[in-house]
């Protein structure tokens, strides 16, 4: 018998990751926006491409103030979200270093509450799904919003960009984890059918793959591989602005790569002034006891890269096994029958045919499955 899935059953004996709950009313209310984004990016079907669409949209909409990120762009490239008649020279003049620091302090007052951030950016979301015209941006169509004026643009630094990504991705069934590396806070997302994690970044609008191509690599993989074996991959744009956005890369600005990293183990909406959301440095031979995360509590790689999906509860007894789920928002299980998925009980038997069971949420989105083969 072979049991295939990407991780181990969750351990509740020690520290563990707390994902954002996709059923939280203030999270679930943003699913229509996430679906609008996917529609404007051509309705991608793979998990990696769906994550890239959300990340690219946040990069273009919640603008980072550092002009060096756009150093290779013309001032008139990627201006769909800018006020009509303006260009990036206008933005650079507005977002001075002093102003960026003021803006960062402003976003920090939201305490990682991305729903509140999106309200002030796009307009206050109403119970009927519409938004008031009280945000920094004006709705144009679909997922396109445009800043009303240059002074309305507040620089959104990396942590706040990725809080917004975390909320939107949660509505689509993709748990994510804020992380820290040298000079930057990117995110890691569980995006694969088997629970694979990948590094995705809105600030640089990129992910990383092996030279020659691969699925997006996780930050833990990048740490172990080193910068020589990987390449930055830029994310494609929406129908309303298909040109690639952001020319710089993290590796271009930090050639040493990712020798150390820390993760934030609490992705939930937390009150302002709450604890540090359990930031932990990930143990590894390259973790420098006197380096960037010297004073940060430690965690194991297993804690930093959890498996969220269907898993086997104990070992099969007399060929009978039980499947449970650690996937956030799961409302039940489904079993593959040919090309279809049908409702399933948590029990199965090892037989002559493979059995594949996955969690499913209220929107019909499947999480990572477990495959039991004879």
């Amino acid at each position: 018998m072979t049991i295939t899935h990407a991780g181990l059953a969750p351990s509740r004996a020690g520290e563990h990751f707390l994902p954002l709950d996709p059923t939280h009313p203030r999270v679930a209310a943003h699913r229509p926006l996430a679906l609008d984004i996917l529609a404007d990016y051509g309705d991608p079907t793979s998990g990696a491409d769906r994550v890239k669409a959300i990340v690219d949209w946040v990069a273009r909409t919640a603008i980072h103030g550092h002009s060096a990120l756009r150093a290779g762009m013309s001032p008139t490239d990627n201006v769909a979200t800018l006020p009509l008649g303006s260009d990036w020279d206008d933005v650079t003049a507005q977002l001075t270093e002093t102003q960026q620091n003021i803006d960062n302090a402003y976003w920090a007052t939201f305490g990682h509450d991305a729903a509140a951030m999106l309200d002030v950016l796009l307009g206050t979301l109403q119970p009927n799904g519409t938004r008031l015209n009280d945000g920094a941006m004006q709705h144009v169509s679909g997922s396109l919003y445009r800043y009303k004026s240059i002074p309305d643009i507040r620089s959104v630094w990396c942590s706040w960009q990725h809080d917004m990504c975390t909320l939107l991705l949660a509505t689509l069934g993709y748990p994510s984890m804020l992380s820290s590396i040298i000079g930057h806070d990117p995110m890691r997302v569980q995006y694969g059918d088997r629970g694979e994690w990948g590094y995705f970044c809105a600030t640089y609008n990129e992910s990383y793959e092996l030279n020659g191509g691969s699925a997006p690599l996780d930050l833990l993989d990048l740490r172990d591989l080193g910068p020589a074996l990987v390449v930055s991959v830029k994310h494609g744009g929406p129908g309303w602005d298909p040109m690639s956005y952001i020319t710089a890369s993290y590796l271009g600005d930090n050639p040493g790569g990712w020798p150390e990293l820390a993760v934030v183990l609490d992705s939930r909406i937390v009150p302002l002034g709450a604890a540090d959301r359990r930031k932990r440095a990930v143990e590894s031979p390259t973790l420098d006891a006197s380096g960037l995360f010297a004073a940060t509590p430690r965690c194991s790689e297993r804690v930093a890269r959890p498996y969220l999906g269907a898993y086997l509860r104990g070992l099969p007894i007399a060929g009978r096994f039980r499947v449970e789920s650690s996937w956030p928002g799961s409302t039940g299980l489904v079993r593959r029958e040919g090309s279809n998925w049908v409702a399933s009980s948590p029990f199965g038997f090892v037989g002559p045919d493979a059995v594949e069971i996955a969690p499913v949420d209220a929107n019909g989105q499947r999480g990572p499955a477990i495959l039991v083969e004879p």
Side-chain angles (χ1 to χ4, degrees):
M1 182 185 71
T2 302
I3 302 168
T4 305
H5 57 78
L8 302 172
S11 171
R12 299 306 183 198
E15 200 163 48
H16 58 277
F17 173 54
L18 296 171
L20 184 59
D21 180 2
T23 66
H24 189 296
R26 297 179 64 233
V27 177
H30 288 81
R31 180 172 168 82
L33 172 58
L35 294 177
D36 281 345
I37 293 169
L38 295 184
D40 285 343
Y41 284 76
D43 284 320
T45 56
S46 77
D49 287 342
R50 287 160 70 88
V51 174
K52 289 176 182 179
I54 297 296
V55 171
D56 182 86
W57 180 89
V58 169
R60 295 166 189 268
T61 304
I63 294 171
H64 200 294
H66 289 179
S67 59
L69 295 168
R70 297 174 286 271
M73 288 168 41
S74 161
T76 57
D77 290 343
N78 303 126
V79 295
T81 60
L82 301 187
L84 285 174
S86 63
D87 60 27
W88 290 107
D89 287 342
D90 301 319
V91 176
T92 299
Q94 163 71 15
L95 297 180
T96 63
E97 183 175 352
T98 298
Q99 186 61 49
Q100 290 183 56
N101 289 328
I102 292 170
D103 294 341
N104 188 49
Y106 170 79
W107 291 114
T109 64
F110 291 91
H112 298 282
D113 185 343
M117 295 179 198
L118 287 170
D119 274 354
V120 300
L121 188 65
L122 308 180
T124 305
L125 186 61
Q126 300 298 289
N128 65 2
T130 62
R131 289 188 181 272
L132 298 180
N133 188 28
D134 59 355
M137 306 183 81
Q138 176 78 43
H139 185 227
V140 179
S141 65
S143 67
L144 175 58
Y145 287 76
R146 180 180 293 127
Y147 283 95
K148 295 174 180 176
S149 71
I150 291 294
D152 282 316
I153 300 177
R154 292 188 177 102
S155 174
V156 186
W157 286 10
C158 49
S159 297
W160 323 128
Q161 287 180 317
H162 294 118
D163 283 335
M164 297 179 199
C165 288
T166 289
L167 184 149
L168 293 169
L169 288 168
T171 72
L172 299 173
Y174 300 108
S176 57
M177 183 185 296
L178 187 67
S179 302
S180 287
I181 49 181
I182 297 170
H184 187 40
D185 291 339
M187 70 188 307
R188 300 166 56 237
V189 184
Q190 184 184 282
Y191 71 91
D193 291 339
R194 297 289 178 223
E196 300 95 322
W197 285 80
Y199 166 106
F200 296 88
C201 173
T203 303
Y204 289 94
N205 199 18
E206 66 182 355
S207 49
Y208 279 85
E209 300 177 359
L210 289 170
N211 282 313
S214 69
L217 297 166
D218 186 22
L219 189 51
L220 293 165
D221 301 323
L222 297 175
R223 177 201 63 187
D224 296 340
L225 288 166
L229 298 179
V230 301
V231 62
S232 166
V233 177
K234 294 298 181 180
H235 304 154
W240 41 263
D241 192 6
M243 181 183 293
S244 293
Y245 175 60
I246 297 298
T247 54
S249 70
Y250 178 80
L251 197 53
D253 289 343
N254 299 271
W258 313 265
E260 301 178 66
L261 66 131
V263 294
V264 176
L265 294 178
D266 192 346
S267 288
R268 300 172 300 171
I269 294 176
V270 296
L272 181 63
D276 69 346
R277 305 175 85 206
R278 296 191 299 129
K279 186 174 183 177
R280 301 290 184 264
V282 183
E283 290 281 12
S284 79
T286 60
L287 185 61
D288 186 346
S290 62
L292 180 64
F293 302 113
T296 305
R298 306 291 197 254
C299 75
S300 69
E301 183 169 325
R302 178 179 174 182
V303 170
R305 184 154 51 186
Y307 171 76
L308 302 175
Y311 64 91
L312 207 63
R313 173 70 177 271
L315 295 174
I317 299 176
R320 184 174 185 263
F321 60 85
R322 179 186 177 104
V323 174
E324 294 190 356
S325 170
S326 59
W327 194 53
S330 174
T331 58
L333 299 169
V334 290
R335 181 191 306 260
R336 185 191 291 276
E337 290 191 359
S339 60
N340 298 319
W341 291 85
V342 300
S344 174
S345 80
F347 299 102
F349 287 90
V350 180
D353 300 316
V355 180
E356 188 171 10
I357 298 176
V360 66
D361 66 18
N363 297 309
Q365 175 72 33
R366 290 193 310 277
I370 185 169
L371 178 65
V372 180
E373 298 178 293

